């Protein structure tokens, strides 16, 4: 029986200085209880639309950790994390005016010189019947184009106007006009005729490589002419975005355009606001679209950060798509996420919503 008694003895033997097993078990129980209590006391994840701002961090491109050398200081992101506005481009809230449908548009009341300049985007300019002439909605204006005269009054009231090329109907000019010099001249004429402060391209032809490069070469030429004249010409692209961000073809288009020499000031995300399920926020898909597009835009523009380089345009099915409460959350969201500006398309929002979107964040 010596073997049978030796095994229990070996099992209960312990090294000198080792605490008894009962004490070890008690300590483990206390540690688990303390950890569980600490985890239970941690705050739940904040709502993206109402929670505090998250610390801004650079979107990495490879090993990039700082802005490219030689960029103007005004284009860099401040140490505080505030957005660097796109040079010469819109800010705050941008009012879209459908000049193709209503060339005799009324002057929005937001253009108030007491509050400073307000930004407006007029669209959509597309190719006319001859393929190389710009028309509102692709149609020839009757009795001359009344828009330039309306813009003079808009500027006198404190507004600043830009042009939107392309859009959901008609062909963007670069897709219809295959002669580079003629295309550049048509863009140049539009800039001069309307005194455009910035140009926006709402493209539907990202997969057409020839069109993408033809448009990029024309824009590059216009921006170079502006620089030589001591001016800046801000250029942006309006692209549809979903909860997965931008479509791959749109990402490639942005990259090819940038590599061709275009300085892209901002990428405007076009995101529809749809009814939400019970208990869900209809703004959550919008927030998801911005988060998903951020690294995609950073990579396409070869920028380590995207603060001030992304704008958000909500597409409304009706005035009820965006409530005043939604508008307040959206303004706060734009400030926390350093968006360049906000806008709406589709149905006209409620006047109170426009007032809230136009107001600076508190």
């Amino acid at each position: 029986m010596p073997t049978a008694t030796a095994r229990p003895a070996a099992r209960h033997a312990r090294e000198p200085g080792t605490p008894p097993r009962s004490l070890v078990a008690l300590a483990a129980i206390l540690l688990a209880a303390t950890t569980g209590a600490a985890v239970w006391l941690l705050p739940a994840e904040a709502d993206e639309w109402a929670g505090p701002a998250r610390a801004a961090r650079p979107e990495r491109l490879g090993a990039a950790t700082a802005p490219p050398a030689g960029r103007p200081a005004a284009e860099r992101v401040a140490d505080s994390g505030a957005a660097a506005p796109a040079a010469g481009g819109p800010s705050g809230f941008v009012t879209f005016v459908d000049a193709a449908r209503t060339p005799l548009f009324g002057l929005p009341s937001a253009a108030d010189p007491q509050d400073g300049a307000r930004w407006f985007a007029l669209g959509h300019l597309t190719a006319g019947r001859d393929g190389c002439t710009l028309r509102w909605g692709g149609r020839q204006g009757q009795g001359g184009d009344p828009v330039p005269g309306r813009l003079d009054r808009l500027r006198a009231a404190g507004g600043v106007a830009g042009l939107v090329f392309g859009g959901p109907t008609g062909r963007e000019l670069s897709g219809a006009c295959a002669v580079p010099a003629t295309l550049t001249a048509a863009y140049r004429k539009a800039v001069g005729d309307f005194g455009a402060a910035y140009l926006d391209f709402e493209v539907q032809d990202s997969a057409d490589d020839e069109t993408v490069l033809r448009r990029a070469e024309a824009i590059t030429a216009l921006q170079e002419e502006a620089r030589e004249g001591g001016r800046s010409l801000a250029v942006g692209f309006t692209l549809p975005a979903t909860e997965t961000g931008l479509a791959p073809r749109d990402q490639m288009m942005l990259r090819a355009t940038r590599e061709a020499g275009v300085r892209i000031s901002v990428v405007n995300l076009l995101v529809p606001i749809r009814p939400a399920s019970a208990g869900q926020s209809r703004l959550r898909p919008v927030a998801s679209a911005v988060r998903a597009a951020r690294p995609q835009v950073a990579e396409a523009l070869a920028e380590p950060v995207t603060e001030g380089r992304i704008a958000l345009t909500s597409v409304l099915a009706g005035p009820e798509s965006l409530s005043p409460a939604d508008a307040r959350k959206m303004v706060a969201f734009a400030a926390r996420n350093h968006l360049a500006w906000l806008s709406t398309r589709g149905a006209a929002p409620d006047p109170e919503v426009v007032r809230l979107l136009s107001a600076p964040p508190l």
Side-chain angles (χ1 to χ4, degrees), residues 131-145:
C132 287
T133 303
L134 284 164
R135 295 283 184 262
W136 294 111
R139 299 187 298 271
Q140 173 71 46
Q142 296 297 320
D145 191 344

Side-chain angles (χ1 to χ4, degrees), residues 89-330:
S91 61
F93 180 75
V94 178
T95 300
F96 176 74
V97 177
D98 192 342
R101 293 186 178 182
T102 55
L104 293 174
F105 57 89
L107 293 176
S109 58
D112 185 351
Q114 298 298 323
D115 295 330
R118 290 292 183 264
W119 291 91
F120 299 85
L122 280 73
H124 292 92
L125 280 167
T126 56
R129 291 181 179 179
D130 65 356
C132 287
T133 303
L134 284 164
R135 295 283 184 262
W136 294 111
R139 299 187 298 271
Q140 173 71 46
Q142 296 297 320
D145 191 344
V147 174
R150 310 297 289 178
L151 289 181
D152 289 341
R153 295 178 58 191
L154 181 64
R155 295 188 191 95
V160 184
L163 300 175
V164 183
F165 299 91
T169 60
R171 296 187 71 186
E172 201 283 302
L173 193 66
S174 57
C177 187
V179 183
T182 306
L183 175 64
T184 304
Y187 285 147
R188 184 187 297 115
K189 185 176 187 302
V191 172
D193 288 350
F194 300 109
Y198 70 100
L199 307 180
D200 178 65
F201 293 85
E202 188 176 334
V203 302
Q204 312 288 325
D205 50 26
S206 294
D208 188 335
D209 294 341
E210 292 184 3
T211 296
V212 169
L213 292 178
R214 190 160 52 238
R215 178 172 49 236
E217 290 172 1
I219 297 173
T220 301
L222 294 181
Q223 288 187 318
E224 182 60 31
E225 292 171 6
R227 279 192 293 267
E228 291 175 354
R231 300 174 289 106
S232 64
L233 182 61
V235 172
F237 284 84
T238 292
L239 301 168
T242 65
E243 292 186 72
T244 58
L246 298 172
R249 65 178 183 276
D250 288 333
Q251 297 176 49
M252 292 300 296
M253 181 277 296
L254 289 173
R255 178 174 180 175
T257 300
R258 186 259 306 168
E259 290 177 344
V262 176
R263 169 61 178 167
I264 301 174
S265 298
V266 66
V267 176
N268 176 32
L269 305 180
L270 203 61
V271 186
I273 294 185
R274 298 187 174 93
S277 303
Q280 297 294 321
S281 169
R282 56 187 165 189
L283 296 183
R284 280 191 179 276
V286 181
S288 298
V290 173
R291 286 197 300 268
R294 191 179 296 278
Q296 298 167 349
V297 171
E299 183 176 4
L301 301 187
E303 294 280 351
V305 291
T306 56
E307 278 75 0
R309 307 299 294 278
I310 293 178
L312 174 60
T313 293
S314 303
V315 183
L316 311 183
E320 70 284 352
S321 296
L322 201 63
S323 68
D326 292 334
R328 293 187 185 93
K329 292 179 181 180
M330 191 168 285

